[in-house]
């Protein structure tokens, strides 16, 4: 700041010189508010065309200069107090130590957070697969118990609907567990890295439970292993024929003379008894066979469901791992850059302690210059002293 004054020069020229010095001081002290006000005063002074306008602009400029220089003087006095504070050196060195600790901690976290991320998703996948197997076995056991009391030939549609509904519910619960697991991993990373804002939870590319179950095989038995009608008839006819032959041949071998009507009745009774027993046994065998086929079909569908849902979980976890790794790396890099910048700033502040006497002397010179400029601004407008 120049403090020289030429009393011979016109007041407007002196005011413009003072404005230039004040603008330089405002820029050096990072005061954009003063820059705007002083620049407006200079424009008003340079655009005045009449003597009256120049006098008014000169008075306004003198007033604005006094206010701006008083503000700059206040800033400089505060800066000198900060520089001359006996505790400032200790504070700067303590801040430098903290900045170094932050940098060292960031270096350690650069090796730690990828391990946390990997372990988190490994545990998520393992837990999801275990829960999936456990729940699938529960669904299978429940369905097999239901098959023990029903006839698949009559209740196949009902059983299929119940099984699909149950599998859809299990898929929804599995998806919920996976989403909660991904959110837990993200929260853990935020906690370890002490990030200021939470990490976004990635969207999981999961097929809807209804579409997943709709793509599975039909759990209803096909009935391909069912015996043909002639074979089933033979299983009933042959025992009936055997009953008739036993009644006829038995009486002849024993030499009994039995009336024809009694022989016919005995043969009929034997045929009905053996045929009825054979028919009852065939019905039970047929029911057991249908239930066995239904169990096989249900187990196949549950196994297929387990494989399809397991693939969905693994693919979703892989995609979430990639996205979360990318987001975490970006957040960690920002944190590392901030720590490095703070360390650089702290080092510069500590290194500047060696120049402290010179810096205080420079501030004292600036205060003296501002005081001289303030005196010259007062001289421009004696009627409006600052």
């Amino acid at each position: 700041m120049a403090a020289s004054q030429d009393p011979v020069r016109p007041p407007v020229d002196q005011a413009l010189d003072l404005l230039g010095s004040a603008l330089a001081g405002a820029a050096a002290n990072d005061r954009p508010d003063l820059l705007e006000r002083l620049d407006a005063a200079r424009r008003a002074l340079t655009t005045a065309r009449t003597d009256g306008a120049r006098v008014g602009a000169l008075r306004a400029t003198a007033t604005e200069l006094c206010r701006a220089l008083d503000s700059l003087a206040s800033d400089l006095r505060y800066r000198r107090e900060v520089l001359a504070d006996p505790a400032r050196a200790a504070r700067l060195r303590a801040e430098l130590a903290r900045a170094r600790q932050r940098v060292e901690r960031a270096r350690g976290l650069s090796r730690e957070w990828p391990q946390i991320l990997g372990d988190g998703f490994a545990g998520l996948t393992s837990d999801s697969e275990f829960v999936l197997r456990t729940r699938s076995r529960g669904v299978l056991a429940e369905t097999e118990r239901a098959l023990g009391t029903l006839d698949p030939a009559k209740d196949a549609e009902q059983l299929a609907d119940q099984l699909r509904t149950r599998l859809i519910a299990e898929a929804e619960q599995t998806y919920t567990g996976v989403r909660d697991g991904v959110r837990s991993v993200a929260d853990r990373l935020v906690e370890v890295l002490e990030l200021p804002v939470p990490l976004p939870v990635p969207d999981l590319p999961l097929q809807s439970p209804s579409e997943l179950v709709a793509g599975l095989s039909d759990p209803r038995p096909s009935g391909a292993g069912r015996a043909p009608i002639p074979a089933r008839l033979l299983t009933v006819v042959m025992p009936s024929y055997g009953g008739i032959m036993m009644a006829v041949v038995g009486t002849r071998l024993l030499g009994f003379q039995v009336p024809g009507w009694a022989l016919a009745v005995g043969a009929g009774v034997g045929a009905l008894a053996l045929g009825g027993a054979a028919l009852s046994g065939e019905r039970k065998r047929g029911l057991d066979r249908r239930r066995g086929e239904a169990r096989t079909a249900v187990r196949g569908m549950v196994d297929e469901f387990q494989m399809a849902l397991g693939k969905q979980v693994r693919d979703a976890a892989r995609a979430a791992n990639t996205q979360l790794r990318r987001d975490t790396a970006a957040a960690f890099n920002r944190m590392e850059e901030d720590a490095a910048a703070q360390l650089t700033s702290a080092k510069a502040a500590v290194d500047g302690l060696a120049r402290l006497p010179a810096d205080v002397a420079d501030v004292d010179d600036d205060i003296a210059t501002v005081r001289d400029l303030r005196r010259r601004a007062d001289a421009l407008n004696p009627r409006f002293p600052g």
Side-chain angles (χ1 to χ4, degrees), residues 127-143 163 166-167 169-177 302 305-306 309:
D127 293 345
S128 299
E129 291 180 351
F130 176 77
V131 171
L132 175 58
R133 291 192 182 98
T134 303
R135 290 183 176 276
S136 298
R137 290 175 182 175
V139 172
L140 182 59
E142 180 180 336
T143 305
L163 180 58
R166 181 65 186 278
L167 292 179
E170 295 299 332
E172 289 176 348
Q173 292 184 4
T174 301
Y175 286 171
T176 300
V302 172
F305 167 78
Q306 184 174 325
L309 186 56

Side-chain angles (χ1 to χ4, degrees), residues 117-196:
L117 181 68
D119 291 345
F121 275 97
L124 168 64
T125 304
S126 176
D127 293 345
S128 299
E129 291 180 351
F130 176 77
V131 171
L132 175 58
R133 291 192 182 98
T134 303
R135 290 183 176 276
S136 298
R137 290 175 182 175
V139 172
L140 182 59
E142 180 180 336
T143 305
E144 288 183 344
R145 284 195 298 270
L147 282 172
T149 60
L150 299 174
D151 186 355
K154 300 177 182 179
D155 306 308
E157 193 67 33
Q158 177 185 352
L159 287 172
D161 291 341
Q162 290 177 353
L163 180 58
R164 291 184 184 277
T165 301
R166 181 65 186 278
L167 292 179
I168 289 174
E170 295 299 332
E172 289 176 348
Q173 292 184 4
T174 301
Y175 286 171
T176 300
V178 173
R179 293 188 180 96
D180 292 342
V182 173
R183 186 177 296 107
S184 177
V185 174
D187 293 341
R188 175 62 178 160
L189 289 171
V190 171
E191 179 184 358
V192 171
L193 297 178
E194 297 181 359
L195 298 178

Side-chain angles (χ1 to χ4, degrees), residues 216-229:
L216 302 177
S217 59
D218 194 343
R220 291 173 294 185
S222 61
R226 189 175 183 181
I229 294 178

Side-chain angles (χ1 to χ4, degrees), residues 147 150-154 221-228 232 235-236 277-295:
L147 282 172
L150 299 174
D151 186 355
K154 300 177 182 179
S222 61
R226 189 175 183 181
R232 283 183 287 162
T235 58
V236 177
L279 180 60
S280 177
E282 176 60 22
R283 286 178 177 175
K284 187 177 185 305
R285 286 192 297 271
L287 179 59
D288 291 341
R289 184 169 54 251
R290 290 192 296 274
R291 286 174 177 171
E293 292 175 355
R295 289 190 183 94

